[in-house]
Amino acid sequence: MEPKFQVQLKIRKPVAQVFEAVVNPSKLSGYFVKTSSGPLAAGTTVKWSFAEAPGEFDVITREVVPNERIVFEWPSDRGALTRVEMSFVPLDAGNTMVKVSESGWKPDEKGFESSYGNAGGWMHMMVCLKGYLEFGINLREGGAV
C-alpha cells in the first residue's frame, strides 16, 4: 500500500479568485505561508517559509493550468520529494471545489505517519483559504507555537 491521500473542500468563491489566492504570493501569505519568493508558474522553483517551521522549502512547480490545476514537488521530512496536485473544479459561477492530493513517501511506518500529518496540514490550509476568501480573515495568524 502506498502512502498517499486526497482532501477536498468547497470554497464559496469563483474558480479564478480561488486559483489566484494560491498562485499569487501576496495572497498566499495572507492565509498559508509566512513568505513566498514568487508566484507558482510552471518550470519555476519558489521558496516558501512557514511561521511554525524553521528554514525555507523549495517548491518545484511542474505544471500550472490556470483555474484548473497546479502540480509541484517539495521535500518530505526525509529529504525525498513528494508530489502535490491541486485541482480547482468550478461547481457553478460562485463556488469552487478545491482538491489536494499528495504522494511519494516511502511505504513504511514513517512514510505513512508523514502522509497523515500532511493530509491534516493540507486540510488546515484549505480551511484557512476558505476563511481568507469568504470572510477576509487569517486563521493561521497567532496560531504558531
Side-chain angles (χ1 to χ4, degrees):
M1 182 176 201
E2 177 187 357
K4 62 182 181 177
F5 65 84
Q6 177 178 297
V7 294
Q8 64 185 31
L9 186 66
K10 177 179 152 182
I11 309 291
R12 296 180 306 172
K13 291 294 177 182
V15 69
Q17 190 174 349
V18 177
F19 185 85
E20 178 69 10
V22 176
V23 297
N24 182 322
S26 66
K27 293 183 180 191
L28 190 65
S29 64
Y31 67 92
F32 182 49
V33 299
K34 182 178 175 185
T35 62
S36 174
S37 66
L40 294 175
T44 65
T45 298
V46 298
K47 293 190 179 295
W48 284 355
S49 70
F50 296 89
E52 62 277 3
E56 293 181 320
F57 298 86
D58 285 336
V59 176
I60 305 159
T61 313
R62 301 294 185 198
E63 180 183 353
V64 175
V65 179
N67 302 330
E68 290 181 23
R69 181 175 160 92
I70 299 167
V71 178
F72 65 84
E73 294 175 337
W74 67 343
S76 70
D77 57 359
R78 290 196 265 178
L81 296 177
T82 60
R83 181 179 181 89
V84 176
E85 299 184 27
M86 303 180 80
S87 64
F88 304 83
V89 180
L91 301 174
D92 55 41
N95 294 285
T96 303
M97 182 66 69
V98 179
K99 298 178 183 181
V100 178
S101 63
E102 190 169 2
S103 61
W105 291 276
K106 291 182 181 180
D108 58 18
E109 185 177 340
K110 182 67 174 163
F112 281 100
E113 182 182 305
S114 295
S115 72
Y116 295 149
N118 279 29
W122 283 113
M123 197 67 224
H124 184 248
M125 174 271 196
M126 289 195 297
V127 168
C128 291
L129 171 63
K130 185 177 188 69
Y132 177 77
L133 289 177
E134 292 183 16
F135 304 103
I137 57 175
N138 182 348
L139 294 173
R140 289 179 72 101
E141 189 173 344
V145 289

